[in-house]
Structures are given as C-alpha cells and as structure tokens.
C-alpha cells in the first residue's frame, strides 16, 4: 500500500486549513493510499538526521517552502513543487512569469524595493504610475490570500498613504477592471484538466471571494476561458491550481492570479465535485 503525508500549517487557527487536509486524506484513503495529516511543525528539519519512514509522496497544502524544499531534497515527490508554491505565493513574482508567456492580465507594474525607513516620494516615480494606470487602481501586496491585502485605491490621497504604508513590502500596482467589479471565475485545474469551475459575485465588495461575503454558483466556461486558465496554470508550472479569471472588455477573460494551494471546500459545496479525488488520481499516475 502506498502512503502519503498531507501537510498544512499548524499555526493557523481557522478550521478551513484542517478541513482542506481532511478532504485530501479522505480522497487518498478512497484510492487505497494510507494518508497521514501533519502540521508543518511536526516535521523537524534536522539537517543532521534522515527523515524517518518517508512516504511515497506529499500533498503540500502550506506555504512553508523551506519545509517543502527539505522534503524534496530528501527525494520525496511533492505536489505542488516548492518552486511553484513560492512563485505563486509572491504575486509580484507570479506576474513576472505570467507576463513572460504572454498571459492576458490587467496592466501591472511591480513596485520597486523601498526600505522601510526610506522613501522615493519625491522622485516622480509614483506620479508616473498614476499617469500610466489612472484611478481607481488596485494595489496588491505580494503575499496574501482569500482576497486579503488587496486594496482598491480611488484617490491620490489614499494612493500615497498606501505606498507609504507598504515600504519594505513586495507589492504591485494593477489596472482596476471595472467590468469585473465584484465578479470573477474560479477554475480548479489538475494536470492538464479543468476539474471544476464556479462563478463568484459580490454585491457589497469589489472582490468576489467567498471569504469576503461573495456568493458562488455553477458556471459553464467558454472555450476562451478554459484555454486561458490552463495556459496560466502551465505558465507558473502548477500541477494543481485555482486560477481566478476576471471579465475584461466584452467579457474577454483576464487572469487575476493563480493559486497553488487553492482551497477546494467551497467549490465542492457549489458544484458537488471533489477536486481532491482528481488530485490523488493524478499523483498516483505520476509516481508509477
């Protein structure tokens, strides 16, 4: 019997992270795999000792890329690969990869590194950003999940307040897609296959995330939406991905972002499709 570890971050108190791990564990066990759920700190990275009783593979639901790299270095297959997790976890880095392969997305400018105790306020740089993108615009921190750390900037005053607040932080400036205000698509991909998709919308927020009060329903994707979601996942190297698409002009799809550790409970609830089963099936084929 094959075995696997399902790893999530034990410092996070929300039940949604343990729930994600249990969905994967149950899918593995349905496929005849012995699955053990572990919190990331339950695997000490002792570089002087070998890993005891390593599994056949790891489903890595965390962003602790040092731990993922440690396990990969020990020769254990990791899904997703730590390099993919790291790329997707930093949105600035992710947008570099998406742009490199010509993925349609909102106009994006990556903010330069400004150390926390310094400023480039009088350099003219921010005025050029305002001229290029206009207002309203999105400012998005490099690290953030569930729609958090994404800011709709509607005035020059709030723009300058936010760039001052974010000194020392990776972030991007991004065109605000008014035609997609409060609505988007979540597309879950496993390998080269779209497994499930849902339409999300909010009547109270510019973001459509369910965590922020959005509502979701089943959706039939267009061929263009399907193609773009698959291309975006491939662009960042993700074997498992939750791709968020926006509605551009004339409903032309644009990539909002690619999530390498996308939660699957909501899409299961909405569509009745358990993405975890497809994930385990894919892994077992890959490690044969």
């Amino acid at each position: 019997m094959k075995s696997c570890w399902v790893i999530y971050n034990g410092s996070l108190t929300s039940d949604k992270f343990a729930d994600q791990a249990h969905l994967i564990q149950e899918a593995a066990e349905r496929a005849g795999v012995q699955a053990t759920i572990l919190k990331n700190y339950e695997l000490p990275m002792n570089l002087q000792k070998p890993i005891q009783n390593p599994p056949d593979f790891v489903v890595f639901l965390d962003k602790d890329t040092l731990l993922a790299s440690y396990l990969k270095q020990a020769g254990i297959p990791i899904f997703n690969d730590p390099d993919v997790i790291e790329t997707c976890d930093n949105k600035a880095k992710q947008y570099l990869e998406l742009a490199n392969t010509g993925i349609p997305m909102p106009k994006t400018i990556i903010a330069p590194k400004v150390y926390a105790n310094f400023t480039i306020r009088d350099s003219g740089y921010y005025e050029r950003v305002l001229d290029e993108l206009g207002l309203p615009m999105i400012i998005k921190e490099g690290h953030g999940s569930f729609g958090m750390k994404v800011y709709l900037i509607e005035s020059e005053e709030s723009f300058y307040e936010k760039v001052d607040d974010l000194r020392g932080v990776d972030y991007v400036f991004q065109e605000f897609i008014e035609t997609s205000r409060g609505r988007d698509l979540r597309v879950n991909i496993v390998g080269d296959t779209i497994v499930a998709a849902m339409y999300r919308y909010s009547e109270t927020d510019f973001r459509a995330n369910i965590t922020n009060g959005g509502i979701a329903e089943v959706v039939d994707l267009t061929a263009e939406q399907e193609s773009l979601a698959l291309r975006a996942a491939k662009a960042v190297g993700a074997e498992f991905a939750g791709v968020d698409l926006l509605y551009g002009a004339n409903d032309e799809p644009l990539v909002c972002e690619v999530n390498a550790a996308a939660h699957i409970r909501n899409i299961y609830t909405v569509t009745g499709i358990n993405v975890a089963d497809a994930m385990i099936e894919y892994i077992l084929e890959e490690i044969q």
Side-chain angles (χ1 to χ4, degrees):
M1 175 183 288
K2 291 192 181 298
S3 63
C4 77
W5 290 344
V6 183
I7 298 174
Y8 75 101
N9 195 292
S11 69
L12 298 170
T13 58
S14 172
D15 291 341
K16 70 174 63 177
F17 299 98
D19 176 63
Q20 176 92 334
H22 282 289
L23 284 173
I24 301 296
Q25 180 189 47
E26 292 162 5
E29 290 175 347
R30 282 194 293 274
V33 177
Q34 181 181 354
T36 302
I37 295 175
L38 293 169
K39 301 179 178 70
N40 64 315
Y41 60 74
E42 292 176 328
L43 285 168
M45 288 182 274
N46 189 329
L47 303 185
Q48 284 69 52
K49 294 182 180 180
I51 296 172
Q52 298 297 310
N53 302 313
D56 292 294
F57 64 90
V58 169
V59 181
F60 205 82
L61 303 178
D62 192 21
K63 297 179 180 180
D64 187 345
T65 52
L66 289 175
L67 175 58
S69 297
Y70 169 73
L71 297 171
K72 179 182 177 181
Q73 187 171 296
I76 304 171
I78 310 291
F79 300 88
N80 278 305
D81 185 277
D83 291 340
V84 173
I85 297 170
E86 188 166 3
T87 294
C88 290
D89 186 39
N90 187 328
K91 293 181 179 65
K93 188 173 182 180
Q94 177 186 146
Y95 290 129
L96 279 171
E97 294 299 321
L98 294 174
N100 189 48
T101 53
I103 297 295
M105 62 184 185
K107 293 178 184 177
T108 302
I109 299 172
I110 297 176
K113 188 176 188 67
V114 176
Y115 289 95
N117 294 328
F118 297 87
T119 183
I120 60 169
R121 181 75 177 263
D122 299 323
S123 68
Y125 175 84
Y126 296 124
E127 287 79 3
R128 292 195 295 273
V129 171
L130 285 166
D131 286 343
E132 178 69 23
L133 298 181
L135 292 171
M137 77 166 69
I138 296 294
I139 290 182
K140 186 180 295 185
E141 293 189 37
H143 301 282
S145 302
F146 307 109
M148 307 302 291
K149 300 184 180 179
V150 177
Y151 314 103
L152 178 60
I153 305 299
E154 299 185 277
S155 69
E156 287 195 17
E157 180 181 6
S158 59
F159 173 85
Y160 285 109
E161 286 177 357
K162 185 55 65 179
V163 297
D164 279 343
D165 287 345
L166 294 181
R167 285 178 293 176
V169 174
D170 290 342
Y171 68 96
V172 302
F173 306 99
Q174 201 164 64
E175 172 191 14
F176 178 55
I177 306 301
E178 179 64 46
T179 49
S180 201
R181 181 188 285 265
R183 64 185 188 128
D184 71 7
L185 294 164
R186 163 58 62 88
V187 184
N188 276 84
I189 291 169
V190 175
D192 295 322
T193 302
I194 292 173
V195 177
M198 60 183 174
Y199 170 67
R200 304 185 298 189
Y201 63 96
S202 173
E203 297 178 356
T204 59
D205 199 297
F206 71 96
R207 299 160 295 186
N209 303 74
I210 295 174
T211 302
N212 296 322
I215 300 169
E217 59 188 43
V218 177
V219 67
D220 291 324
L221 299 176
T222 66
E224 189 178 10
Q225 290 164 345
E226 289 182 350
S227 175
L228 180 56
L230 289 167
R231 286 172 56 204
K234 185 175 182 180
V236 299
E239 292 170 283
F240 307 148
V243 180
D244 294 341
L245 299 179
L246 301 175
Y247 291 88
N250 301 315
D251 283 345
E252 175 192 2
L254 301 170
V255 172
C256 177
E257 62 187 58
V258 181
N259 303 275
H263 281 237
I264 58 175
R265 171 61 72 181
N266 287 333
I267 205 161
Y268 184 18
T269 300
V270 171
T271 68
I273 298 171
N274 191 342
V275 177
D277 289 317
M279 293 167 65
I280 295 300
E281 181 182 357
Y282 173 86
I283 292 171
L284 292 177
E285 290 178 356
E286 287 293 303
I287 66 171
Q288 283 181 354

